[in-house]
Amino acid sequence: MKSKIRWFSALLALILSLVIGFSFNSNQTQAAKKEAPLKIGMEANYPPYNWTQTTDKNGAVPIDGSKQYANGYDVQIAKIIGKKLHRKVVVEKTEWDGLLPALTSGKIDLIIAGMSPTAERRKAINFSKPYRKSTFVVITSRNGKFAQAKGLNDFKGAKLTAQQGTLHYDLIKQLHGAKREPAMRSFSAMRQSLQSGTIDGYVAEDIEYKSYKTVNPNIVAVNLNKMQGFKVDHDDSITSIGVKKGNTELLNQVNSILNGISNKKRDQLMADAVKEQPQAGGNKKENWFMSIMHRYGSMILGGVGMTLLLALVGTIVGFFIGLLVGIVRTIPTPKSAGKKWGLKIVDWILAVYIEVFRGTPMMVQAAVIYYGIAQLWHLNLNRTVAALVIVSINTGAYLAEVIRGGINATPKGQFEAASAIGMTHSQQMWHIILPQAIRNCLPSITNEFIVNIKDTSVLSIISVSELFFVGTTVASQTFQFFQTYFIISMIYLILTFSITRIFNFIEKKLEGPKNYNLMANQLQVEDPKETGFEHEQ
Amino acid sequence: MNNNNEENILQVQHLQKKYGDHTVLKDISFNINKGEVMTIIGPSGGGKSTMLRCINLLEEPSNGKILFHGENILDPHFNRNTFRSKVGMVFQQFNLFNNKNVLQNCMIGQEMVLGRSKEEAKKVAIENLQKVGMDPFLTAKPQQLSGGQQQRVAIARAISMDPEVLLFDEPTSALDPEMVGEVLNTMQLLAKTGLTMVIVTHEMGFARDVSDQVVFMSDGVITEQGTPQQIFNDPQEEKTKKFLRNFRNNEL
């Protein structure tokens, strides 16, 4: 028993130090300077506006909570603003759909992400004066049917798409006869689709064309702005900086700083960004595997570490939550009315907890909890901590039912024998029932662990840099989609495979030895000895 | 009356047990004196096991009283766990704790409920395991033992609690015929120590030889009650006669 406790505490200490280590990483950078850092939200995945790189060359800025750096036109603009405000610039790498909630909940100070100030967005946040004016184009392949399109009616039958949640996607409606394919999440995905021929083209800004052309010369841009009848709101053809509503002081500061950046300077910054953005393939003749591992190996390793940390802590903490809930839910109905009602209420609350967390996707829970807490209580949770909490309570909801099942599946005779010698309910649980129930649940717990390793990938919604998130970043920079995701899937497979083996081994160990030692001569065992009993009276 | 009460360790008065509309025990009353061995026989489904399980409250009686040393155990303020530690039970299916070995099975109740030290519990457990001849198997897990061996350990577990009354719920019914003997022997030795025992059994020969009192139960009532001599050799009721006729040829 004691050795078990020691084991557990050692494990807990290990996890605790890991968690503290991880959260410290991000805290230290913040604690280093006196002025609060200027937190900029961007995808860091939309070159040449913004992208991720592994070093700080070309004046890149560190990404909060990771060892990576962001660079691009947006980053350079952000640096100018930061310098004028005497605040250090930190990039908060955030998914496109997460940018607005991150700003309104105060997780970031500014959105500088190539975002257009549409009327709809203006309802939620304020925008600065434009820091970039853009032209809309359809990017299509040089040899394709639509490369020579001259008017809005020349796109009959073209399969077109654009980035999800952007104005670009709505613009397709103006191209009469074009088939609007489902919107895609990122430019890298659209580039890949165009290359593989699943779409005929996509609507984007001229800057996307300039940037893509450097890596793929076989494309052309069909300018939409010049076409007759093409209508676009002024707001939509510009990109602005998003500021939280009510923060007029910061908005005014940003506007006056933008006024000080000349058009020439802006064009120069954009030209640099196009030149410096990540290029497809290396010049060196490495094979694709070596080149990905060489350039992004440490980044991927970090992703593996984060994924393992999330799955391990989530499963262990979730197990204890599940254990507690499972125990409470199997307490027999007490005699006194007060206790009966108390238990009923607690039971009901726990049932709601299980239903809610089993009945909604973890991805949605992550978004609701992470952004919700920040918006409602102005509590800025550390990303990693938030992810750990979400995985834990989600796993807890599943394991609560697994453990309840394990308790109920323990033979009734075990309960009866324990109560027949006068043990209380809690004594029965801790010493007799739970050890058996948990052992029977172990395959399901292993299962949950494996599910966690894979399903933590949905936490990319709150930009936790776990393995999948890292994979997406690498793919969007190398443009080697198949290769990158192939490596990532192999890593997942290796992780789950080794964990299955480890748990099978633990299961075997818990079963204990198959044989036992006889303590004396077996011949004496056949019949009880008559002299063995003493008379009590 | 008062003199009698001092002798009576357990009194069952007008005990009733219903499951919904189905009445299993109709109106059961009997007394057991200290040191007495009482066997309960009768056809299956007659309520024997239910009655026994009511005595240590594994089943909640619907009506009536059960007095232990004159105190009603059904009183809401009665400490049931203390009572249960004084009334041991041996089950048909043994019900040894599967996660504990033989020695631990006999120790855990002593440590948890009686608050004995580990050393003392171990000493008592080994003594009792010696009595049932299971002391060479201290480290064996229940699954590794035969049915008869498991039942002997279960008996050792029960007597390690130093109970005042020991209840047996068909202790040999789940055993292979060749193992019945070893368990009955153990029980017979136990009966001689002066322990109060209530035994539900189908072993008529055993019931005749060890009992002070035999109760014949059928259809939820006590049909006939008396000494082994009266019940086995001179039954009065038709039901008793019919029931015993089935056994007479083989066993008695």
Side-chain angles (χ1 to χ4, degrees):
Chain A
M1 200 64 190
K2 259 190 197 145
S3 70
K4 254 190 228 164
I5 293 172
R6 212 176 302 148
W7 227 87
F8 260 130
S9 48
L11 200 65
L12 277 178
L14 176 78
I15 292 160
L16 212 65
S17 55
L18 271 174
V19 174
I20 291 168
F22 261 84
S23 39
F24 243 157
N25 259 350
S26 47
N27 286 343
Q28 269 173 343
T29 45
Q30 288 175 14
K33 55 226 138 17
K34 287 153 214 150
E35 196 77 58
L38 188 64
K39 289 189 232 162
I40 311 292
M42 60 178 67
E43 286 176 287
N45 233 346
Y46 179 33
Y49 280 98
N50 48 66
W51 67 79
T52 308
Q53 59 188 48
T54 49
T55 62
D56 62 353
K57 70 171 180 191
N58 298 330
V61 162
I63 294 176
D64 190 25
S66 77
K67 293 198 173 74
Q68 299 156 26
Y69 297 85
N71 207 346
Y73 180 70
D74 289 338
V75 175
Q76 296 309 322
I77 294 285
K79 275 175 74 178
I80 294 171
I81 294 172
K83 200 173 172 186
K84 291 267 158 72
L85 294 177
H86 306 292
R87 288 169 74 177
K88 190 180 171 183
V89 172
V90 173
V91 167
E92 296 287 337
K93 186 171 176 168
T94 310
E95 295 237 329
W96 181 255
D97 295 329
L99 283 170
L100 255 59
L103 184 71
T104 51
S105 62
K107 289 201 177 285
I108 53 177
D109 300 313
L110 294 173
I111 297 175
I112 311 184
M115 188 178 269
S116 298
T118 58
E120 213 165 297
R121 290 189 193 126
R122 278 187 193 280
K123 284 179 198 155
I125 59 172
N126 283 337
F127 281 99
S128 70
K129 289 178 178 165
Y131 69 100
R132 172 94 203 149
K133 285 194 173 105
S134 47
T135 314
F136 295 101
V137 296
V138 172
I139 295 173
T140 181
S141 54
R142 181 180 291 279
N143 311 319
K145 270 201 291 190
F146 306 102
Q148 306 301 327
K150 295 274 185 293
L152 294 176
N153 294 322
D154 291 346
F155 290 95
K156 280 211 170 59
K159 287 185 276 183
L160 298 181
T161 186
Q163 193 178 18
Q164 198 175 25
T166 61
L167 155 81
H168 308 164
Y169 195 60
D170 286 330
L171 291 179
I172 301 175
K173 285 183 191 158
Q174 297 191 35
L175 307 174
H176 306 292
K179 279 190 214 146
R180 207 154 72 126
E181 297 290 307
M184 293 191 182
R185 287 170 69 94
S186 68
F187 279 94
S188 34
M190 286 183 279
R191 291 178 180 189
Q192 181 70 7
S193 304
L194 180 61
Q195 226 162 28
S196 63
T198 51
I199 56 169
D200 293 315
Y202 60 94
V203 176
E205 289 162 28
D206 57 343
I207 198 68
E208 158 69 6
Y209 167 68
K210 278 184 200 157
S211 117
Y212 189 17
K213 190 147 175 70
T214 61
V215 292
N216 182 0
N218 290 321
I219 53 156
V220 288
V222 180
N223 193 325
L224 293 177
N225 287 52
K226 286 180 188 160
M227 287 182 183
Q228 211 149 46
F230 183 74
K231 273 178 279 178
V232 63
D233 197 357
H234 167 73
D235 281 350
D236 295 336
S237 58
I238 55 177
T239 43
S240 292
I241 295 173
V243 187
K244 190 179 177 177
K245 278 210 164 149
N247 198 349
T248 21
E249 192 196 340
L250 185 60
L251 182 66
N252 292 338
Q253 286 170 335
V254 167
N255 275 335
S256 74
I257 294 166
L258 285 179
N259 279 340
I261 308 173
S262 67
N263 277 338
K264 202 179 153 200
K265 172 85 176 161
R266 292 182 193 197
D267 286 345
Q268 183 56 45
L269 285 177
M270 187 47 105
D272 288 346
V274 170
K275 217 167 23 184
E276 288 160 5
Q277 67 181 316
Q279 310 291 321
N283 295 331
K284 286 180 252 164
K285 288 209 166 169
E286 283 176 310
N287 68 26
W288 57 267
F289 179 78
M290 285 315 290
S291 85
I292 288 178
M293 290 319 273
H294 190 233
R295 287 166 64 194
Y296 300 102
S298 63
M299 207 162 127
I300 291 174
L301 207 64
V304 170
M306 180 57 85
T307 291
L308 274 181
L309 178 80
L310 287 176
L312 189 69
V313 173
T315 311
I316 291 173
V317 176
F319 168 73
F320 284 110
I321 295 175
L323 196 62
L324 204 69
V325 176
I327 290 170
V328 172
R329 300 244 294 161
T330 48
I331 292 176
T333 328
K335 283 249 146 97
S336 79
K339 277 188 193 167
K340 202 185 209 163
W341 278 102
L343 187 69
K344 245 188 191 165
I345 291 165
V346 173
D347 222 40
W348 184 82
I349 292 170
L350 294 179
V352 168
Y353 157 66
I354 291 170
E355 288 305 325
V356 166
F357 280 91
R358 275 201 316 180
T360 53
M362 187 154 79
M363 196 175 201
V364 178
Q365 293 162 16
V368 169
I369 292 174
Y370 183 63
Y371 296 120
I373 285 178
Q375 200 146 3
L376 293 177
W377 292 290
H378 304 287
L379 265 177
N380 205 347
L381 275 182
N382 177 297
R383 236 187 271 280
T384 312
V385 173
L388 288 171
V389 169
I390 289 155
V391 181
S392 299
I393 52 183
N394 191 283
T395 310
Y398 280 91
L399 288 185
E401 287 300 277
V402 167
I403 285 167
R404 191 169 69 95
I407 291 171
N408 288 343
T410 309
K412 215 177 150 220
Q414 300 286 311
F415 285 96
E416 288 186 348
S419 27
I421 57 174
M423 288 166 87
T424 62
H425 177 75
S426 59
Q427 287 173 335
Q428 294 174 28
M429 276 314 226
W430 284 115
H431 296 278
I432 308 299
I433 306 302
L434 285 179
Q436 299 183 43
I438 290 168
R439 187 179 310 166
N440 292 338
C441 290
L442 212 56
S444 302
I445 295 169
T446 312
N447 209 14
E448 195 56 37
F449 195 178
I450 287 169
V451 166
N452 273 346
I453 286 187
K454 296 185 295 170
D455 280 9
T456 44
S457 56
V458 305
L459 292 172
S460 57
I461 185 88
I462 58 168
S463 313
V464 178
S465 51
E466 44 67 57
L467 188 52
F468 176 74
F469 190 73
V470 166
T472 316
T473 309
V474 173
S476 69
Q477 284 169 35
T478 57
F479 304 110
Q480 292 179 311
F481 289 84
F482 167 72
Q483 290 90 332
T484 308
Y485 286 122
F486 181 74
I487 292 174
I488 299 293
S489 66
M490 281 301 125
I491 294 174
Y492 273 119
L493 194 62
I494 291 166
L495 287 182
T496 52
F497 182 80
S498 21
I499 276 154
T500 315
R501 299 293 113 174
I502 291 170
F503 269 75
N504 285 354
F505 177 75
I506 294 174
E507 241 173 273
K508 275 230 179 79
K509 276 266 143 167
L510 277 180
E511 257 171 42
K514 283 261 181 283
N515 53 345
Y516 54 89
N517 295 323
L518 277 181
M519 308 303 265
N521 188 349
Q522 203 164 5
L523 291 175
Q524 295 176 345
V525 181
E526 290 308 313
D527 266 313
K529 286 170 284 182
E530 184 112 11
T531 50
F533 287 96
E534 295 146 30
H535 288 261
E536 282 173 4
Q537 284 184 327
Chain B
M1 193 69 186
N2 261 345
N3 281 342
N4 249 354
N5 267 355
E6 279 176 9
E7 273 286 281
N8 288 152
I9 190 165
L10 207 61
Q11 293 167 281
V12 175
Q13 296 173 349
H14 307 293
L15 186 70
Q16 258 194 7
K17 176 66 187 174
K18 289 179 190 167
Y19 292 106
D21 290 336
H22 180 59
T23 309
V24 181
L25 299 177
K26 282 168 190 159
D27 184 11
I28 307 282
S29 298
F30 61 81
N31 294 338
I32 302 169
N33 295 325
K34 200 164 169 35
E36 211 175 34
V37 175
M38 183 174 119
T39 48
I40 301 168
I41 60 170
S44 298
K48 306 186 298 292
S49 286
T50 310
M51 205 277 293
L52 200 69
R53 290 162 63 84
C54 280
I55 292 180
N56 74 349
L57 298 170
L58 284 180
E59 301 288 345
E60 197 66 36
S62 313
N63 241 322
K65 276 184 184 174
I66 299 172
L67 305 183
F68 181 64
H69 291 303
E71 249 187 293
N72 187 8
I73 66 168
L74 297 174
D75 191 277
H77 303 294
F78 189 82
N79 188 334
R80 292 183 165 202
N81 287 330
T82 314
F83 165 70
R84 278 169 168 164
S85 71
K86 293 178 184 162
V87 179
M89 177 122 175
V90 175
F91 296 86
Q92 184 176 353
Q93 298 295 342
F94 333 128
N95 294 349
L96 290 181
F97 302 133
N98 291 326
N99 58 323
K100 307 262 173 215
N101 66 26
V102 167
L103 180 62
Q104 289 164 337
N105 258 284
C106 298
M107 285 170 64
I108 182 144
Q110 301 183 58
E111 289 179 73
M112 296 279 125
V113 183
L114 304 180
R116 287 182 183 160
S117 72
K118 199 166 191 164
E119 293 70 33
E120 196 188 353
K122 188 170 177 180
K123 195 174 138 254
V124 173
I126 291 177
E127 266 171 29
N128 287 313
L129 283 166
Q130 275 167 350
K131 288 180 193 171
V132 300
M134 287 300 294
D135 52 314
F137 294 90
L138 295 185
T139 57
K141 285 285 178 74
Q143 308 89 284
Q144 296 163 330
L145 302 176
S146 74
Q149 290 173 326
Q150 288 191 47
Q151 195 60 296
R152 278 147 63 192
V153 174
I155 292 172
R157 175 176 69 180
I159 58 179
S160 292
M161 300 292 289
D162 294 331
E164 296 182 36
V165 181
L166 197 47
L167 311 174
F168 292 84
D169 187 6
E170 303 196 27
T172 58
S173 298
L175 296 177
D176 291 338
E178 75 260 32
M179 292 175 186
V180 171
E182 61 186 81
V183 172
L184 290 184
N185 274 345
T186 309
M187 289 167 63
Q188 201 150 15
L189 295 175
L190 211 51
K192 287 180 190 162
T193 64
L195 182 64
T196 312
M197 289 161 66
V198 183
I199 306 165
V200 172
T201 186
H202 288 293
E203 300 291 335
M204 294 305 145
F206 175 78
R208 187 191 53 196
D209 295 342
V210 303
S211 313
D212 298 309
Q213 204 187 153
V214 178
V215 168
F216 179 83
M217 267 182 78
S218 62
D219 302 323
V221 293
I222 293 181
T223 314
E224 203 170 346
Q225 189 174 7
T227 62
Q229 179 69 22
Q230 287 167 336
I231 299 292
F232 289 106
N233 297 344
D234 187 20
Q236 301 298 309
E237 298 290 326
E238 196 47 44
K239 277 182 184 167
T240 319
K241 286 178 190 166
K242 195 181 159 210
F243 177 76
L244 289 173
R245 218 171 288 137
N246 297 329
F247 287 93
R248 193 142 288 152
N249 300 334
N250 330 337
E251 291 186 36
L252 294 175

